[in-house]
Amino acid sequence: MAAVTTSTERTLNKLAIAGVLIVTLIFLAPIYWIASTAFKPRNLSTTIPPTVVFTPEVSPFVKLFTKRSQLRSPPTPEEYAAAPWWERMVFDGGEKVVRDGKGNVQWSGYPSRFMNSLIVATISTILAVGMGTLTAYGFSRFKVKGEGDLLFFILSTRMLPPVVVAIPMFLMYRTFGLNDTHIGLIILYTAFNLSFSVWLMKGFMDEIPKEYEEAALVDGYTRMQAFFKVVLPEAATGIAATAVFCFITAWNEYAFALIMTNRRAQTAPPFIPSQVGSGLPDWTVIAAGTLLFLLPVAIFTFLLRNHLLRGVTFGAIRK
Amino acid sequence: MTSIELRDVQKYFGSLQVIKDMNLKIEDGEFIVLLGQSGCGKTTTLRAIAGLETIDTGDILIDGKPVQDLKCSDRDIAMVFQSFSLYPHMTVFENIAFPLRATRMSKTDTDRRVREIAQVLRITDLLDKRPSALSGGDMQRVAIGRALVRRPKAMLMDEPIGALDAKLREEMRAEIKRLHLKQGSTTIYVTHDQIEAMSLADRIVIMHEGRLQQVGSPTEVYSRPANLFVAQFVGSPVMNVAPVEVESSGGSIHVGVGGASRFEFPATLLAQLDTADVRTNELALGVRPEGVLVSRDEKNGYFPVEAHLIEPLGSYDIVDLRVGDQILRARTRSGYIERAGARVYARIDPSQTHFFDTSSGDSLGIRL
């Protein structure tokens, strides 16, 4: 197409860009708020009007990772001088870092919750996408009796808000001893994501011409080899897009994590707000925890961004 | 040495029978073209030979061994698809090497074989490119390369040049012919384009509604069509077919077309018609446009007709002649008849005519 633009079109273009910028700012504002709070001294975190200019510090992160207790009396100058730089920050806040009998620093609950989130989200994503891809391939390539009904049934698992089944699920989990276990949460999130994964992957699989596999079959490969060598690389875009969505769902899930776990397998989402209730809420620590919690999804999405962009528009154009 | 044989092959899709009583023997090194309209079962037949479709009954034999229960990977047959089906995530080299990797051939041998075939197909400079960077013709060459590299027992081609534009199609047609002559592998080629079939085939297999209509060399199917379907499917422009009445009076035979004109035919026609035993109202005459002779001047044996329409096709013209209530298409030299509506004279060359029984559609096999 010839690139002829009139002045009206140019004005409209500028307006559109301005509109997009405004929307972007609105969306980025909460992220900025969390990020800035995570580096604020505690006393500046709740000022009205909000403090915008301040000297950033890392004390919220130190507090996030360590177990602390209130100081009854200020530390002696010797104690203060002997403490490492990060422990002094805790002293400055009127608290002290808890140590065990041997003097080892006690960690807070955050790192283990964060690891739980990583383990549960990663494994459930791999399972949901893996099983979803195989199921979708089956539905897409073979004659399955009652295909429409089965696909509808799979989709119907998403028709209720999940919380509706929270109580029965809780009772079932208690019976089977799955409460507060990693495997319990992994099963739960895999089941949540599976219907979504099957449907999304079915769309992608349908788009891959079956001649590719047929060519591979004639070229001397088995059906399974053809699937792994030809179909899977072709489906990479779809797998990446589906994986991102599944990971985000599992990573952000709050309600079931709150109900089904309390300590051993608790993930970060129910843990972070639980810090609000102990004493006066330290918003800077909550912000630091939230900011770190945002990173894995951001990194994961960033790494897969090329696939994702193709993925969400895939199937829009017939080749 | 590879021969392929189909014996009483039947194939159903649900209640629809797509291959009916298929019997065919393909000799070693032969170039066979399956020709027919879309939906006639030709592609299904090809896919059944490849092993991509199962057959319901019958046998498919490769070198005398039944293969209908073997997986396609065990049949040692290569196939070129209409869509080329080049793997988009692999380079041209990897695409061609793909079938060799299935056989776990060593890296150096693979490399050598791929380069050999690339040289034959003149695509050596494309080996590092991805399929998306190739033109239609080059994609086609790569697809053929991928099929040939394994030196398969037989090569199956499903409308391999159907997706190309007209000029490229012509080029690739010649190239496929050249390759076949050079490699000499048994080839089954599916197309709906009769020109492709005529120019490539050693033998053409014409199919219609799942049934084999005629098997023969291009000349045979063109000049001796077995039935009305073949007669009208092969040849462009299509053969004229018209119901006729045969009269004999005083030792001479006249064939009436369109209710008005009576063309003179040799007396032997009558005896042959008697042997054929066909009802008079079920008799049809077929004649190709080159069998309808046209003259601007009155001549003995020529009937006056009206040139209804003229289609100039460059090297020749196709003229629609109104013969009674029928239209006969004639082929004349370019510009011979100057304007539509002109009065001209026409005759049918008896040696180029065919007679059909319209109830069965079969040719009566009459030669004059």
Short mmCIF file of all heavy atoms in Angstrom, two decimals, chain B residues 84-141:
data_model
loop_
_atom_site.label_atom_id
_atom_site.label_comp_id
_atom_site.label_asym_id
_atom_site.label_seq_id
_atom_site.Cartn_x
_atom_site.Cartn_y
_atom_site.Cartn_z
N PHE B 84 3.65 -28.96 -0.79
CA PHE B 84 5.09 -29.16 -0.62
C PHE B 84 5.44 -29.72 0.75
O PHE B 84 6.31 -30.55 0.88
CB PHE B 84 5.92 -27.89 -0.85
CG PHE B 84 5.57 -27.17 -2.12
CD1 PHE B 84 5.40 -25.79 -2.15
CD2 PHE B 84 5.39 -27.87 -3.30
CE1 PHE B 84 5.07 -25.14 -3.32
CE2 PHE B 84 5.06 -27.23 -4.47
CZ PHE B 84 4.90 -25.86 -4.48
N SER B 85 4.74 -29.22 1.80
CA SER B 85 4.98 -29.69 3.16
C SER B 85 6.44 -29.67 3.56
O SER B 85 6.94 -30.61 4.15
CB SER B 85 4.45 -31.11 3.33
OG SER B 85 3.07 -31.12 3.20
N LEU B 86 7.13 -28.59 3.23
CA LEU B 86 8.51 -28.45 3.72
C LEU B 86 8.42 -28.04 5.18
O LEU B 86 7.56 -27.23 5.54
CB LEU B 86 9.24 -27.39 2.91
CG LEU B 86 9.36 -27.67 1.43
CD1 LEU B 86 10.10 -26.54 0.75
CD2 LEU B 86 10.07 -28.99 1.18
N TYR B 87 9.29 -28.62 6.01
CA TYR B 87 9.23 -28.29 7.43
C TYR B 87 9.77 -26.88 7.63
O TYR B 87 10.94 -26.62 7.36
CB TYR B 87 10.05 -29.30 8.24
CG TYR B 87 9.72 -30.73 7.86
CD1 TYR B 87 10.69 -31.59 7.37
CD2 TYR B 87 8.42 -31.21 7.97
CE1 TYR B 87 10.39 -32.90 7.02
CE2 TYR B 87 8.11 -32.51 7.61
CZ TYR B 87 9.10 -33.35 7.13
OH TYR B 87 8.79 -34.62 6.78
N PRO B 88 8.92 -25.96 8.10
CA PRO B 88 9.31 -24.54 8.14
C PRO B 88 10.44 -24.26 9.11
O PRO B 88 11.16 -23.29 8.95
CB PRO B 88 8.05 -23.82 8.59
CG PRO B 88 6.96 -24.82 8.63
CD PRO B 88 7.58 -26.18 8.61
N HIS B 89 10.60 -25.12 10.13
CA HIS B 89 11.62 -24.82 11.13
C HIS B 89 12.99 -25.38 10.75
O HIS B 89 13.93 -25.27 11.51
CB HIS B 89 11.19 -25.34 12.50
CG HIS B 89 10.94 -26.83 12.51
ND1 HIS B 89 9.82 -27.39 11.94
CD2 HIS B 89 11.66 -27.85 13.01
CE1 HIS B 89 9.87 -28.70 12.09
NE2 HIS B 89 10.98 -29.01 12.74
N MET B 90 13.09 -26.00 9.56
CA MET B 90 14.38 -26.55 9.14
C MET B 90 14.86 -25.82 7.88
O MET B 90 14.05 -25.34 7.10
CB MET B 90 14.22 -28.03 8.80
CG MET B 90 13.76 -28.88 9.95
SD MET B 90 13.65 -30.59 9.39
CE MET B 90 12.69 -31.31 10.70
N THR B 91 16.18 -25.82 7.70
CA THR B 91 16.72 -25.25 6.47
C THR B 91 16.47 -26.24 5.33
O THR B 91 16.04 -27.37 5.56
CB THR B 91 18.24 -25.03 6.58
OG1 THR B 91 18.85 -26.30 6.78
CG2 THR B 91 18.59 -24.11 7.73
N VAL B 92 16.78 -25.79 4.11
CA VAL B 92 16.60 -26.65 2.95
C VAL B 92 17.43 -27.94 3.13
O VAL B 92 16.95 -29.04 2.89
CB VAL B 92 17.01 -25.90 1.66
CG1 VAL B 92 17.13 -26.85 0.50
CG2 VAL B 92 15.99 -24.82 1.36
N PHE B 93 18.68 -27.75 3.60
CA PHE B 93 19.55 -28.91 3.82
C PHE B 93 18.90 -29.90 4.78
O PHE B 93 18.80 -31.09 4.51
CB PHE B 93 20.91 -28.45 4.36
CG PHE B 93 21.88 -29.59 4.57
CD1 PHE B 93 22.79 -29.94 3.58
CD2 PHE B 93 21.87 -30.33 5.75
CE1 PHE B 93 23.66 -30.99 3.76
CE2 PHE B 93 22.74 -31.38 5.94
CZ PHE B 93 23.65 -31.72 4.94
N GLU B 94 18.43 -29.36 5.92
CA GLU B 94 17.83 -30.23 6.93
C GLU B 94 16.57 -30.91 6.41
O GLU B 94 16.29 -32.07 6.73
CB GLU B 94 17.50 -29.44 8.20
CG GLU B 94 18.74 -29.05 8.98
CD GLU B 94 18.46 -27.95 9.98
OE1 GLU B 94 17.53 -27.15 9.75
OE2 GLU B 94 19.17 -27.88 10.98
N ASN B 95 15.81 -30.17 5.60
CA ASN B 95 14.62 -30.75 5.00
C ASN B 95 14.96 -31.96 4.15
O ASN B 95 14.31 -33.01 4.26
CB ASN B 95 13.90 -29.71 4.14
CG ASN B 95 12.73 -29.07 4.87
OD1 ASN B 95 11.68 -29.68 5.04
ND2 ASN B 95 12.92 -27.84 5.32
N ILE B 96 15.97 -31.79 3.30
CA ILE B 96 16.32 -32.89 2.40
C ILE B 96 16.97 -34.04 3.19
O ILE B 96 16.76 -35.21 2.89
CB ILE B 96 17.26 -32.39 1.27
CG1 ILE B 96 16.54 -31.32 0.47
CG2 ILE B 96 17.67 -33.54 0.35
CD1 ILE B 96 17.36 -30.70 -0.64
N ALA B 97 17.71 -33.68 4.24
CA ALA B 97 18.39 -34.71 5.03
C ALA B 97 17.43 -35.46 5.97
O ALA B 97 17.76 -36.54 6.44
CB ALA B 97 19.51 -34.07 5.86
N PHE B 98 16.26 -34.89 6.19
CA PHE B 98 15.31 -35.45 7.18
C PHE B 98 15.00 -36.94 6.96
O PHE B 98 15.09 -37.72 7.92
CB PHE B 98 14.04 -34.59 7.17
CG PHE B 98 13.13 -34.84 8.33
CD1 PHE B 98 13.50 -34.50 9.62
CD2 PHE B 98 11.88 -35.41 8.14
CE1 PHE B 98 12.65 -34.72 10.69
CE2 PHE B 98 11.02 -35.64 9.21
CZ PHE B 98 11.42 -35.29 10.48
N PRO B 99 14.67 -37.37 5.74
CA PRO B 99 14.38 -38.80 5.56
C PRO B 99 15.61 -39.67 5.79
O PRO B 99 15.48 -40.81 6.25
CB PRO B 99 13.95 -38.91 4.09
CG PRO B 99 13.66 -37.53 3.66
CD PRO B 99 14.47 -36.62 4.49
N LEU B 100 16.80 -39.13 5.52
CA LEU B 100 18.03 -39.92 5.73
C LEU B 100 18.29 -40.10 7.21
O LEU B 100 18.78 -41.14 7.66
CB LEU B 100 19.22 -39.23 5.07
CG LEU B 100 19.15 -39.08 3.55
CD1 LEU B 100 20.38 -38.35 3.04
CD2 LEU B 100 19.04 -40.44 2.90
N ARG B 101 17.95 -39.07 8.00
CA ARG B 101 18.18 -39.16 9.45
C ARG B 101 17.32 -40.26 10.05
O ARG B 101 17.69 -40.85 11.06
CB ARG B 101 17.88 -37.81 10.11
CG ARG B 101 18.78 -36.71 9.55
CD ARG B 101 19.27 -35.74 10.61
NE ARG B 101 20.44 -35.03 10.10
CZ ARG B 101 20.48 -33.72 9.84
NH1 ARG B 101 19.41 -32.98 10.07
NH2 ARG B 101 21.58 -33.16 9.36
N ALA B 102 16.16 -40.51 9.43
CA ALA B 102 15.29 -41.58 9.94
C ALA B 102 15.97 -42.93 9.80
O ALA B 102 15.72 -43.85 10.57
CB ALA B 102 13.96 -41.59 9.19
N THR B 103 16.87 -43.03 8.81
CA THR B 103 17.56 -44.31 8.61
C THR B 103 18.88 -44.37 9.37
O THR B 103 19.64 -45.32 9.22
CB THR B 103 17.86 -44.53 7.12
OG1 THR B 103 18.76 -43.48 6.70
CG2 THR B 103 16.62 -44.48 6.26
N ARG B 104 19.15 -43.33 10.18
CA ARG B 104 20.38 -43.23 10.98
C ARG B 104 21.63 -43.33 10.10
O ARG B 104 22.61 -43.98 10.47
CB ARG B 104 20.42 -44.28 12.07
CG ARG B 104 19.21 -44.23 12.98
CD ARG B 104 19.37 -45.09 14.19
NE ARG B 104 18.13 -45.10 14.96
CZ ARG B 104 17.75 -44.12 15.77
NH1 ARG B 104 18.49 -43.06 15.94
NH2 ARG B 104 16.60 -44.20 16.43
N MET B 105 21.57 -42.69 8.96
CA MET B 105 22.74 -42.68 8.08
C MET B 105 23.82 -41.78 8.70
O MET B 105 23.50 -40.82 9.40
CB MET B 105 22.32 -42.12 6.72
CG MET B 105 23.41 -42.10 5.70
SD MET B 105 22.81 -41.38 4.17
CE MET B 105 22.20 -42.81 3.33
N SER B 106 25.07 -42.08 8.45
CA SER B 106 26.16 -41.31 9.05
C SER B 106 26.15 -39.89 8.49
O SER B 106 25.61 -39.63 7.42
CB SER B 106 27.50 -41.96 8.75
OG SER B 106 27.85 -41.69 7.41
N LYS B 107 26.78 -38.99 9.27
CA LYS B 107 26.72 -37.58 8.91
C LYS B 107 27.38 -37.30 7.56
O LYS B 107 26.86 -36.52 6.76
CB LYS B 107 27.43 -36.76 10.01
CG LYS B 107 26.62 -35.56 10.39
CD LYS B 107 27.20 -34.80 11.54
CE LYS B 107 26.68 -33.40 11.39
NZ LYS B 107 27.40 -32.37 12.00
N THR B 108 28.52 -37.95 7.32
CA THR B 108 29.22 -37.67 6.07
C THR B 108 28.43 -38.19 4.86
O THR B 108 28.35 -37.53 3.83
CB THR B 108 30.63 -38.33 6.06
OG1 THR B 108 30.49 -39.65 6.58
CG2 THR B 108 31.61 -37.56 6.90
N ASP B 109 27.83 -39.38 5.02
CA ASP B 109 27.03 -39.93 3.93
C ASP B 109 25.82 -39.07 3.65
O ASP B 109 25.47 -38.81 2.50
CB ASP B 109 26.58 -41.37 4.25
CG ASP B 109 27.73 -42.36 4.13
OD1 ASP B 109 28.76 -41.96 3.55
OD2 ASP B 109 27.60 -43.49 4.61
N THR B 110 25.17 -38.63 4.75
CA THR B 110 24.00 -37.76 4.61
C THR B 110 24.39 -36.51 3.83
O THR B 110 23.72 -36.12 2.87
CB THR B 110 23.47 -37.34 6.00
OG1 THR B 110 23.22 -38.51 6.75
CG2 THR B 110 22.19 -36.54 5.88
N ASP B 111 25.48 -35.91 4.26
CA ASP B 111 25.95 -34.69 3.64
C ASP B 111 26.19 -34.90 2.14
O ASP B 111 25.77 -34.10 1.31
CB ASP B 111 27.25 -34.27 4.33
CG ASP B 111 27.58 -32.83 4.05
OD1 ASP B 111 26.89 -31.97 4.60
OD2 ASP B 111 28.50 -32.59 3.23
N ARG B 112 26.84 -36.01 1.83
CA ARG B 112 27.16 -36.28 0.43
C ARG B 112 25.88 -36.48 -0.40
O ARG B 112 25.72 -35.89 -1.46
CB ARG B 112 28.04 -37.55 0.37
CG ARG B 112 28.60 -37.88 -1.00
CD ARG B 112 29.54 -39.08 -0.94
NE ARG B 112 29.01 -40.17 -0.12
CZ ARG B 112 28.08 -41.04 -0.55
NH1 ARG B 112 27.59 -40.95 -1.74
NH2 ARG B 112 27.65 -42.00 0.26
N ARG B 113 24.96 -37.28 0.15
CA ARG B 113 23.72 -37.56 -0.59
C ARG B 113 22.90 -36.30 -0.81
O ARG B 113 22.34 -36.09 -1.90
CB ARG B 113 22.88 -38.59 0.18
CG ARG B 113 23.39 -40.00 0.07
CD ARG B 113 22.86 -40.70 -1.18
NE ARG B 113 21.53 -41.25 -0.97
CZ ARG B 113 21.30 -42.43 -0.41
NH1 ARG B 113 22.30 -43.19 0.00
NH2 ARG B 113 20.07 -42.87 -0.25
N VAL B 114 22.81 -35.47 0.23
CA VAL B 114 22.01 -34.24 0.09
C VAL B 114 22.62 -33.35 -0.98
O VAL B 114 21.92 -32.79 -1.83
CB VAL B 114 21.93 -33.49 1.45
CG1 VAL B 114 21.30 -32.12 1.26
CG2 VAL B 114 21.15 -34.30 2.46
N ARG B 115 23.96 -33.24 -0.97
CA ARG B 115 24.61 -32.37 -1.95
C ARG B 115 24.48 -32.92 -3.38
O ARG B 115 24.31 -32.15 -4.33
CB ARG B 115 26.07 -32.14 -1.58
CG ARG B 115 26.15 -31.19 -0.42
CD ARG B 115 27.51 -30.81 0.06
NE ARG B 115 27.35 -30.20 1.37
CZ ARG B 115 26.89 -28.98 1.59
NH1 ARG B 115 26.54 -28.22 0.56
NH2 ARG B 115 26.74 -28.51 2.80
N GLU B 116 24.52 -34.23 -3.48
CA GLU B 116 24.32 -34.86 -4.80
C GLU B 116 22.97 -34.49 -5.37
O GLU B 116 22.85 -34.02 -6.50
CB GLU B 116 24.35 -36.38 -4.63
CG GLU B 116 25.67 -37.04 -4.98
CD GLU B 116 25.65 -38.52 -4.59
OE1 GLU B 116 24.56 -39.15 -4.70
OE2 GLU B 116 26.70 -38.99 -4.17
N ILE B 117 21.94 -34.69 -4.55
CA ILE B 117 20.58 -34.47 -5.04
C ILE B 117 20.35 -32.98 -5.29
O ILE B 117 19.65 -32.59 -6.24
CB ILE B 117 19.53 -35.08 -4.08
CG1 ILE B 117 18.26 -35.42 -4.84
CG2 ILE B 117 19.18 -34.18 -2.94
CD1 ILE B 117 18.33 -36.72 -5.56
N ALA B 118 20.98 -32.14 -4.45
CA ALA B 118 20.84 -30.69 -4.63
C ALA B 118 21.43 -30.27 -5.97
O ALA B 118 20.91 -29.39 -6.65
CB ALA B 118 21.52 -29.96 -3.48
N GLN B 119 22.51 -30.94 -6.34
CA GLN B 119 23.15 -30.62 -7.61
C GLN B 119 22.26 -31.01 -8.79
O GLN B 119 22.09 -30.24 -9.73
CB GLN B 119 24.48 -31.36 -7.70
CG GLN B 119 25.47 -30.68 -8.60
CD GLN B 119 26.87 -31.19 -8.32
OE1 GLN B 119 27.05 -32.24 -7.71
NE2 GLN B 119 27.85 -30.45 -8.78
N VAL B 120 21.67 -32.19 -8.69
CA VAL B 120 20.76 -32.65 -9.74
C VAL B 120 19.61 -31.67 -9.91
O VAL B 120 19.19 -31.34 -11.02
CB VAL B 120 20.20 -34.05 -9.40
CG1 VAL B 120 19.12 -34.45 -10.39
CG2 VAL B 120 21.33 -35.08 -9.39
N LEU B 121 19.12 -31.15 -8.78
CA LEU B 121 17.95 -30.26 -8.82
C LEU B 121 18.35 -28.79 -8.95
O LEU B 121 17.50 -27.92 -8.96
CB LEU B 121 17.11 -30.46 -7.56
CG LEU B 121 16.39 -31.80 -7.48
CD1 LEU B 121 16.02 -32.12 -6.05
CD2 LEU B 121 15.15 -31.80 -8.33
N ARG B 122 19.63 -28.53 -8.99
CA ARG B 122 20.18 -27.16 -9.11
C ARG B 122 19.71 -26.26 -7.97
O ARG B 122 19.19 -25.17 -8.19
CB ARG B 122 19.77 -26.55 -10.45
CG ARG B 122 20.22 -27.40 -11.64
CD ARG B 122 19.58 -26.86 -12.89
NE ARG B 122 19.63 -27.85 -13.96
CZ ARG B 122 18.68 -27.97 -14.88
NH1 ARG B 122 17.64 -27.17 -14.86
NH2 ARG B 122 18.78 -28.86 -15.83
N ILE B 123 19.84 -26.76 -6.75
CA ILE B 123 19.44 -25.94 -5.60
C ILE B 123 20.56 -25.86 -4.57
O ILE B 123 20.33 -25.53 -3.41
CB ILE B 123 18.15 -26.48 -4.93
CG1 ILE B 123 18.27 -27.98 -4.69
CG2 ILE B 123 16.92 -26.15 -5.72
CD1 ILE B 123 17.16 -28.56 -3.85
N THR B 124 21.79 -26.15 -5.01
CA THR B 124 22.92 -26.16 -4.06
C THR B 124 23.04 -24.84 -3.31
O THR B 124 23.31 -24.83 -2.11
CB THR B 124 24.22 -26.47 -4.82
OG1 THR B 124 24.00 -27.62 -5.61
CG2 THR B 124 25.36 -26.73 -3.86
N ASP B 125 22.82 -23.73 -4.00
CA ASP B 125 22.99 -22.42 -3.34
C ASP B 125 21.85 -22.10 -2.38
O ASP B 125 21.88 -21.07 -1.70
CB ASP B 125 23.16 -21.32 -4.38
CG ASP B 125 22.07 -21.36 -5.43
OD1 ASP B 125 21.54 -22.47 -5.67
OD2 ASP B 125 21.75 -20.31 -6.01
N LEU B 126 20.84 -22.93 -2.32
CA LEU B 126 19.71 -22.65 -1.43
C LEU B 126 19.77 -23.45 -0.13
O LEU B 126 18.93 -23.29 0.74
CB LEU B 126 18.38 -22.98 -2.13
CG LEU B 126 18.10 -22.32 -3.46
CD1 LEU B 126 16.78 -22.82 -4.02
CD2 LEU B 126 18.05 -20.82 -3.30
N LEU B 127 20.80 -24.31 -0.01
CA LEU B 127 20.79 -25.29 1.09
C LEU B 127 20.69 -24.68 2.48
O LEU B 127 20.15 -25.28 3.39
CB LEU B 127 22.03 -26.18 1.00
CG LEU B 127 21.97 -27.24 -0.11
CD1 LEU B 127 23.28 -28.00 -0.19
CD2 LEU B 127 20.82 -28.20 0.09
N ASP B 128 21.21 -23.45 2.64
CA ASP B 128 21.19 -22.84 3.98
C ASP B 128 19.94 -22.04 4.24
O ASP B 128 19.76 -21.50 5.34
CB ASP B 128 22.42 -21.95 4.17
CG ASP B 128 23.70 -22.77 4.13
OD1 ASP B 128 23.64 -23.93 4.58
OD2 ASP B 128 24.72 -22.27 3.63
N LYS B 129 19.09 -21.90 3.24
CA LYS B 129 17.91 -21.05 3.41
C LYS B 129 16.78 -21.80 4.07
O LYS B 129 16.74 -23.03 4.08
CB LYS B 129 17.46 -20.52 2.06
CG LYS B 129 18.43 -19.53 1.46
CD LYS B 129 17.80 -18.80 0.31
CE LYS B 129 18.76 -17.73 -0.17
NZ LYS B 129 18.45 -17.23 -1.49
N ARG B 130 15.84 -21.03 4.60
CA ARG B 130 14.62 -21.63 5.15
C ARG B 130 13.56 -21.67 4.05
O ARG B 130 13.57 -20.83 3.15
CB ARG B 130 14.09 -20.77 6.30
CG ARG B 130 15.07 -20.72 7.44
CD ARG B 130 14.40 -21.08 8.73
NE ARG B 130 15.43 -21.19 9.76
CZ ARG B 130 15.43 -22.08 10.71
NH1 ARG B 130 14.45 -22.95 10.79
NH2 ARG B 130 16.38 -22.12 11.60
N PRO B 131 12.62 -22.61 4.13
CA PRO B 131 11.60 -22.72 3.09
C PRO B 131 10.86 -21.40 2.84
O PRO B 131 10.50 -21.10 1.70
CB PRO B 131 10.64 -23.77 3.65
CG PRO B 131 11.48 -24.60 4.52
CD PRO B 131 12.52 -23.69 5.11
N SER B 132 10.65 -20.60 3.90
CA SER B 132 9.88 -19.37 3.72
C SER B 132 10.58 -18.39 2.79
O SER B 132 9.96 -17.47 2.27
CB SER B 132 9.63 -18.72 5.08
OG SER B 132 10.84 -18.56 5.76
N ALA B 133 11.90 -18.58 2.59
CA ALA B 133 12.64 -17.65 1.74
C ALA B 133 12.68 -18.11 0.28
O ALA B 133 13.32 -17.48 -0.55
CB ALA B 133 14.06 -17.49 2.28
N LEU B 134 12.00 -19.22 -0.03
CA LEU B 134 12.10 -19.78 -1.37
C LEU B 134 10.90 -19.39 -2.24
O LEU B 134 9.82 -19.11 -1.73
CB LEU B 134 12.14 -21.31 -1.29
CG LEU B 134 13.25 -21.96 -0.47
CD1 LEU B 134 13.15 -23.46 -0.57
CD2 LEU B 134 14.62 -21.49 -0.93
N SER B 135 11.13 -19.42 -3.55
CA SER B 135 10.03 -19.21 -4.49
C SER B 135 9.27 -20.54 -4.63
O SER B 135 9.76 -21.59 -4.22
CB SER B 135 10.59 -18.80 -5.84
OG SER B 135 11.32 -19.87 -6.40
N GLY B 136 8.09 -20.47 -5.24
CA GLY B 136 7.27 -21.67 -5.40
C GLY B 136 8.01 -22.79 -6.12
O GLY B 136 7.98 -23.95 -5.69
N GLY B 137 8.70 -22.43 -7.19
CA GLY B 137 9.41 -23.44 -7.97
C GLY B 137 10.52 -24.11 -7.17
O GLY B 137 10.71 -25.32 -7.24
N ASP B 138 11.24 -23.27 -6.39
CA ASP B 138 12.34 -23.82 -5.58
C ASP B 138 11.81 -24.71 -4.47
O ASP B 138 12.39 -25.75 -4.15
CB ASP B 138 13.19 -22.69 -5.00
CG ASP B 138 14.05 -22.04 -6.07
OD1 ASP B 138 14.30 -22.71 -7.09
OD2 ASP B 138 14.42 -20.87 -5.92
N MET B 139 10.67 -24.30 -3.86
CA MET B 139 10.06 -25.13 -2.81
C MET B 139 9.74 -26.49 -3.40
O MET B 139 9.97 -27.53 -2.78
CB MET B 139 8.75 -24.49 -2.33
CG MET B 139 8.94 -23.40 -1.32
SD MET B 139 7.36 -22.60 -1.12
CE MET B 139 7.24 -22.50 0.61
N GLN B 140 9.23 -26.46 -4.61
CA GLN B 140 8.85 -27.69 -5.30
C GLN B 140 10.08 -28.57 -5.54
O GLN B 140 10.05 -29.77 -5.30
CB GLN B 140 8.17 -27.24 -6.59
CG GLN B 140 8.09 -28.23 -7.67
CD GLN B 140 7.33 -29.43 -7.25
OE1 GLN B 140 7.90 -30.46 -7.26
NE2 GLN B 140 6.09 -29.33 -6.87
N ARG B 141 11.20 -27.91 -5.93
CA ARG B 141 12.44 -28.68 -6.16
C ARG B 141 12.91 -29.31 -4.86
O ARG B 141 13.35 -30.46 -4.85
CB ARG B 141 13.53 -27.75 -6.71
CG ARG B 141 13.30 -27.38 -8.16
CD ARG B 141 14.50 -26.65 -8.74
NE ARG B 141 14.19 -26.22 -10.08
CZ ARG B 141 13.65 -25.04 -10.39
NH1 ARG B 141 13.40 -24.17 -9.43
NH2 ARG B 141 13.36 -24.74 -11.63
#
